[in-house]
């Protein structure tokens, strides 16, 4: 299973764009990259998933370079309610098993 | 939006007792999972279940744990003889195009 490395924590202010980068140097050819958000005492919530290049949905964008050894989750114009832990997972779709430590994002007013 | 439900939301038990945690997956999903999260720690994979059998399990998922889908709808996690260190949030998840997590069951072992 590909291991992921993320910053432990990040601070931001309301209205700013936040970029969280995840390293996954030993990603396999079939692996997808998925990001989850987790609030205290709640289950992780799917944010976005991608394989290569750029994926965008209504809440975030995911940038994946050509070598796929890293990925960046971009949250546009964060609000206080985006304060959460963000996890990057790498694996075959349907078998995303290993959560790393995640990045604790604190959004300040 | 479809959702995974879990019962109970909170379970308190005495050490050595058996507990059964229940999950109702999203109806057309094919893969089912249990994860746990000890307070303040990361989410840990326990087991995945597909086509009515375990497809993968972690080293945490020892002989004290079992899973089943008794009636084709509910998906259960049983801990036969709970230990203090089993105290955690237990999350059920199901997958079709993306993985949906339930709200979790907080298990407290005294």
């Amino acid at each position: 299973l590909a291991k992921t490395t993320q910053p432990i924590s990040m601070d931001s202010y309301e209205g700013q764009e936040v970029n969280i980068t995840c390293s996954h140097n030993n990603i396999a050819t079939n692996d997808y990259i998925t990001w989850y958000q987790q609030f205290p005492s709640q289950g992780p919530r799917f944010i976005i998933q991608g394989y290569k290049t750029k994926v965008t949905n209504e809440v975030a964008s995911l940038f994946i370079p050509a070598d796929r050894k890293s990925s960046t989750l971009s949250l546009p114009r964060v609000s206080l309610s985006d304060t959460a832990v963000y996890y990057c997972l790498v694996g075959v779709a349907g078998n995303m098993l290993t959560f790393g430590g995640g990045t604790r994002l604190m959004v300040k007013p | 939006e479809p959702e995974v439900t879990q019962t109970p939301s909170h379970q308190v038990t005495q050490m050595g007792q058996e507990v059964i945690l229940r999950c109702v997956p999203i109806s057309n999903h094919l893969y089912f999972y249990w994860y746990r999260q000890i307070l303040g720690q990361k989410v840990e994979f326990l087991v995945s279940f597909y086509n009515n059998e375990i497809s993968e399990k972690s080293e945490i998922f020892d002989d004290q744990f079992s899973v089943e889908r008794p009636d084709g709808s509910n998906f259960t996690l049983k801990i036969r003889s709970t230990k203090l260190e089993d105290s955690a949030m237990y999350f059920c998840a199901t997958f079709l195009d993306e993985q949906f997590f339930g709200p979790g069951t907080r298990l407290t072992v005294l």
Side-chain angles (χ1 to χ4, degrees):
Chain A
L1 291 172
K3 182 182 174 183
T4 59
T5 304
Q6 303 173 234
I8 293 173
S9 64
M10 294 181 69
D11 288 346
S12 182
Y13 291 92
E14 281 190 292
Q16 288 188 334
E17 177 183 82
V18 170
N19 295 307
I20 306 174
T21 297
C22 178
S23 297
H24 26 80
N25 290 318
N26 59 340
I27 187 169
T29 303
N30 293 334
D31 286 343
Y32 282 73
I33 300 154
T34 306
W35 285 81
Y36 290 87
Q37 175 192 56
Q38 188 181 29
F39 298 112
S41 299
Q42 294 186 26
R45 186 175 72 94
F46 173 91
I47 302 174
I48 197 166
Q49 179 177 289
Y51 184 79
K52 62 180 180 180
T53 62
K54 177 184 175 182
V55 180
T56 298
N57 62 23
E58 63 275 10
V59 297
S61 294
L62 178 60
F63 298 92
I64 305 168
D67 66 5
R68 302 199 330 120
K69 292 184 184 299
S70 67
S71 58
T72 299
L73 174 72
S74 181
L75 304 172
R77 297 179 300 280
V78 293
S79 63
L80 296 177
S81 61
D82 293 317
T83 294
V85 179
Y86 292 82
Y87 295 97
C88 159
L89 274 73
V90 172
V92 176
N95 287 283
M96 301 284 188
L97 305 177
T98 304
F99 282 75
T103 298
R104 190 173 299 275
L105 173 66
M106 173 68 73
V107 179
K108 302 175 182 177
Chain B
E1 184 178 281
E3 60 178 16
V4 177
T5 58
Q6 292 185 241
T7 54
S9 57
H10 191 186
Q11 174 90 48
V12 181
T13 189
Q14 295 290 326
M15 189 170 57
Q17 295 295 305
E18 174 183 284
V19 294
I20 298 176
L21 310 182
R22 291 182 170 80
C23 168
V24 179
I26 296 171
S27 61
N28 60 337
H29 283 200
L30 304 177
Y31 295 86
F32 311 114
Y33 311 80
W34 284 101
Y35 295 82
R36 80 172 186 190
Q37 187 173 33
I38 296 170
L39 184 64
Q41 298 186 24
K42 65 181 182 181
V43 177
E44 300 175 291
F45 167 74
L46 293 178
V47 65
S48 59
F49 192 84
Y50 172 73
N51 201 26
N52 288 320
E53 60 183 28
I54 291 174
S55 53
E56 288 197 63
K57 61 182 180 180
S58 72
E59 57 191 27
I60 302 170
F61 193 87
D62 60 21
D63 292 344
Q64 292 299 314
F65 292 88
S66 62
V67 289
E68 63 175 3
R69 201 163 180 233
D71 55 11
S73 59
N74 292 299
F75 179 50
T76 62
L77 174 69
K78 181 191 291 185
I79 309 174
R80 287 188 182 81
S81 178
T82 51
K83 304 186 285 288
L84 296 176
E85 53 266 37
D86 293 327
S87 294
M89 285 287 287
Y90 287 81
F91 295 108
C92 171
T94 69
F95 177 87
L96 187 61
D97 298 321
E98 62 186 65
Q99 201 169 39
F100 287 86
F101 283 77
T105 293
R106 180 175 300 280
L107 176 65
T108 302
V109 182
L110 302 176

